[in-house]
Amino acid sequence: MEAFFTYGFLQRALFAGIFVAVACSMLGLFLILRRDAMIGHGLAHVAFGGVAFGLFLNMMPLATALGVTVLASWAVIKLKEKAGLHGDSAIAVFSSVGMAIGILLATLAHNLNVDLLSFLFGDILAIEPIEVWLSIGLAAAVVASILINYHQLMFLTFDREAARAAGIRPQGLDFQLTVLTAITVVLGMKVVGILLVTALLVMPAAAGLQLASNFKQALWISAVVAFLSVTGGLAAAFAFDLPASAAIVLLAFSIFGALFLLRRRKRF
Amino acid sequence: MSEEKEAQSSSGTKNALELVRVDGVSFKYDAGPNVLEEISLTIQAGDFLALLGPNGSGKTTLVKLILGLLKPLAGNVFIKGRPVEEFEEWPKIGYVPQKATHVDPFFPASVREVVAMALFSRRGASLKKSKEEEKAIATALQSVGMEDFMGRPVSRLSGGQQQRVFIARAIVHSPELLILDEPTAGVDAVTQERFYEMLYQLNKQRAITILLVTHDIGVVTMHVNKVACVNQRLTYHGTHEDFCQSEAFKAMLAAGHLVSHRH
């Protein structure tokens, strides 16, 4: 615990990690209930291409990944509309292309592999001060967007047809949710890496769904699980010299498992 | 039918405000055949109108056209005198969709939250409800006899109870028109009877105009004052008394398109 007050890199990791994980957990709740949880996984693959593109051009990889992933999220929506594809097919198309571009650029540039690995597996302990502020700012924007449209998003998620009949325009909110997912995925890849970022979106929210009897409770429990996963995971990583991303994800899974068992016990 | 209902029926037809006008509407999905052809009908304020027709006859499509969820291929829909695409007072229209009771068992919404969804659907950031809003939620739930279930997760209620909650959601704005698409599908006969009685009370006591999509002939004979029959085309539109003598009624009965529960 003392280490968190002593080391600047740990404080940066903690602040950025908590903000990003809480934003992921809130967004993840809507994604799970819309059966759209794998969009995070797909966009993470696109982000890989974006990171490779940034490293290839010697630009800030987080910024290029953000631009590419947001663009891809818009394209996924358009492809679903225009090509009549189901959501998962449109995501699969872009995630494969993103991954292919990443592999191509890494091969062409020869020396990208080491940098790319840090994005694949996450490197929160090496997070730069500017990245901390970027993460906090964007995570706060994600949370604010969700809260502003809380009622509309909940209505649309619960009963899309009735929500449309009540005058809610779904296109704008769908687009917003997808773009917010793209942003959180890019932020999350610095915390746990491209390969594990879906865990930040899904596990705290899935844990929240185990115990909540109303939506607000589910949001709160998800946020608390996200907070505990990041703080506990970072502490475990520092104390036992473990990879932080794996520690965070495994702790989130443990909490989910504990709440799942608790729910079963409550029922029987 | 009681004198009270007859009086209401006649006032509804003679000097009522026209809430909905469907004018020569045709519709088809993509390259498929026409689902609806040249449908014209009106719904007057105070009406309790049953929309009847066999499966696949276009009833739900017609409801979606009235709600502006689909665009007609030809013709127009007007709500309160305005073309549906320009209509903005959607809180004045309550809607309970066909599969409303197919609730995701993992969705963690309480009864209160489900009703609040409609109340706050056009509201911004504030998560806190005002006293008036709390009262509106309580009144809506009271109207459907669900006030004691406010904090319960809606996924743990029975089909009949869920249906009542969705009606509370649809009437929380005190709408002028309530549209219900086969609301009693999968609900037992006793619950259905109570449910229709509740709709009748909403129509009578709160003066809510009702459009009810149903297969249940019992509702037609007991509660409604108008009937519209659709089978791609409009085969009947008029009072329920005339409907019971009509060829459309006999044809639907003979084809087994109508069912009757305990009424």
Side-chain angles (χ1 to χ4, degrees):
Chain A
M1 196 65 193
E2 204 185 308
F4 282 113
F5 297 102
T6 314
Y7 299 109
F9 73 93
L10 262 184
Q11 287 167 1
R12 286 197 294 275
L14 190 67
F15 280 125
I18 288 171
F19 270 86
V20 171
V22 168
C24 279
S25 72
M26 292 177 78
L27 197 60
L29 194 60
F30 288 100
L31 294 178
I32 286 180
L33 292 169
R34 289 162 65 107
R35 295 178 169 81
D36 247 347
M38 288 313 284
I39 193 171
H41 195 64
L43 290 175
H45 284 73
V46 175
F48 176 75
V51 167
F53 188 57
L55 290 171
F56 187 74
L57 296 179
N58 213 12
M59 290 165 69
M60 194 178 169
L62 211 58
T64 49
L66 194 64
V68 168
T69 316
V70 168
L71 206 64
S73 68
W74 173 80
V76 164
I77 291 173
K78 286 291 153 198
L79 195 66
K80 272 200 274 188
E81 277 174 17
K82 307 285 179 197
L85 284 175
H86 287 297
D88 53 354
S89 313
I91 292 163
V93 167
F94 279 95
S95 67
S96 318
V97 172
M99 213 56 193
I101 289 172
I103 293 166
L104 185 75
L105 291 177
T107 311
L108 288 176
H110 299 295
N111 58 347
L112 292 186
N113 290 347
V114 176
D115 291 329
L116 267 177
L117 280 180
S118 76
F119 284 95
L120 271 178
F121 299 111
D123 197 3
I124 193 172
L125 295 174
I127 201 161
E128 299 289 332
I130 187 164
E131 290 173 329
V132 175
W133 289 113
L134 188 69
S135 300
I136 291 174
L138 287 175
V142 169
V143 173
S145 301
I146 290 172
L147 292 180
I148 286 168
N149 296 299
Y150 174 79
H151 298 289
Q152 288 91 333
L153 281 171
M154 184 164 68
F155 198 177
L156 208 58
T157 306
F158 184 73
D159 188 340
R160 193 173 178 86
E161 199 174 302
R164 284 182 64 206
I168 292 175
R169 308 248 185 276
Q171 291 89 348
L173 288 167
D174 287 346
F175 179 68
Q176 188 186 344
L177 209 59
T178 313
V179 169
L180 293 179
T181 308
I183 294 170
T184 46
V185 159
V186 173
L187 298 178
M189 80 186 176
K190 195 72 193 175
V191 179
V192 291
I194 288 163
L195 294 176
L196 293 175
V197 71
T198 316
L200 276 192
L201 281 167
V202 173
M203 278 188 209
L209 288 172
Q210 299 306 309
L211 289 190
S213 55
N214 62 55
F215 204 84
K216 223 180 262 181
Q217 249 181 40
L219 274 177
W220 274 110
I221 298 172
S222 308
V224 170
V225 172
F227 174 85
L228 291 175
S229 304
V230 169
T231 48
L234 274 177
F238 187 76
F240 304 110
D241 197 20
L242 301 170
S245 56
I248 291 168
V249 171
L250 289 174
L251 184 59
F253 175 72
S254 306
I255 298 172
F256 164 74
L259 294 183
F260 171 75
L261 291 174
L262 195 66
R263 183 188 183 204
R264 281 180 67 91
R265 255 186 94 178
K266 265 175 75 178
R267 280 198 167 177
F268 298 106
Chain B
M1 190 168 149
S2 67
E3 282 180 22
E4 196 179 14
K5 284 186 187 178
E6 281 176 4
Q8 186 196 8
S9 168
S10 61
S11 70
T13 48
K14 277 179 187 167
N15 52 9
L17 174 78
E18 188 177 275
L19 275 185
V20 177
R21 169 173 288 276
V22 178
D23 201 2
V25 162
S26 298
F27 182 82
K28 66 175 179 177
Y29 291 97
D30 298 326
N34 274 5
V35 178
L36 293 170
E37 281 179 18
E38 293 173 29
I39 304 284
S40 295
L41 60 86
T42 57
I43 303 172
Q44 313 284 338
D47 275 354
F48 189 158
L49 183 139
L51 182 59
L52 301 173
N55 286 333
S57 59
K59 302 185 295 293
T60 297
T61 302
L62 181 57
V63 163
K64 288 182 178 175
L65 286 161
I66 290 172
L67 288 165
L69 299 178
L70 295 172
K71 281 185 184 168
L73 197 67
N76 294 294
V77 175
F78 299 90
I79 301 184
K80 296 180 77 178
R82 298 193 69 180
V84 68
E85 56 274 15
E86 291 171 19
F87 184 73
E88 287 181 347
E89 296 173 75
W90 289 110
K92 298 282 177 200
I93 315 290
Y95 173 49
V96 182
Q98 192 174 24
K99 289 175 181 168
T101 52
H102 292 201
V103 173
D104 178 352
F106 297 106
F107 203 104
S110 66
V111 167
R112 184 201 302 266
E113 283 178 325
V114 170
V115 179
M117 281 175 195
L119 197 60
F120 305 139
S121 58
R122 287 173 169 235
R123 189 167 115 160
S126 173
L127 300 182
K128 200 153 175 62
K129 302 174 188 76
S130 68
K131 276 185 183 170
E132 289 76 26
E133 288 165 340
E134 286 287 1
K135 198 178 164 196
I137 293 168
T139 307
L141 284 168
Q142 221 166 7
S143 300
V144 297
M146 289 297 289
E147 66 272 28
D148 296 332
F149 294 80
M150 272 199 190
R152 281 279 183 96
V154 76
S155 59
R156 291 191 206 150
L157 300 178
S158 70
Q161 288 170 327
Q162 284 178 355
Q163 203 55 267
R164 285 167 175 263
V165 173
F166 294 125
I167 291 180
R169 183 181 70 188
I171 63 171
V172 71
H173 273 296
S174 300
E176 291 174 33
L177 173 65
L178 176 61
I179 299 177
L180 305 108
D181 192 353
E182 297 196 31
T184 54
V187 177
D188 66 80
V190 178
T191 311
Q192 283 191 27
E193 204 169 307
R194 282 196 213 125
F195 178 79
Y196 289 131
E197 187 54 39
M198 182 195 73
L199 288 186
Y200 173 66
Q201 295 301 332
L202 288 174
N203 176 244
K204 191 164 66 87
Q205 290 177 352
R206 294 185 59 171
I208 297 175
T209 305
I210 294 177
L211 166 59
L212 173 72
V213 177
T214 182
H215 285 281
D216 193 344
I217 188 65
V219 189
V220 178
T221 54
M222 290 291 290
H223 299 291
V224 306
N225 65 350
K226 296 272 189 67
V227 175
C229 288
V230 175
N231 194 358
Q232 194 176 1
R233 288 175 171 273
L234 192 71
T235 56
Y236 179 84
H237 182 214
T239 63
H240 98 280
E241 293 94 338
D242 292 343
F243 173 68
C244 293
Q245 311 298 324
S246 71
E247 289 303 315
F249 174 69
K250 288 170 192 164
M252 290 185 81
L253 214 53
H257 293 319
L258 296 174
V259 294
S260 182
H261 292 294
R262 292 172 46 197
H263 290 282

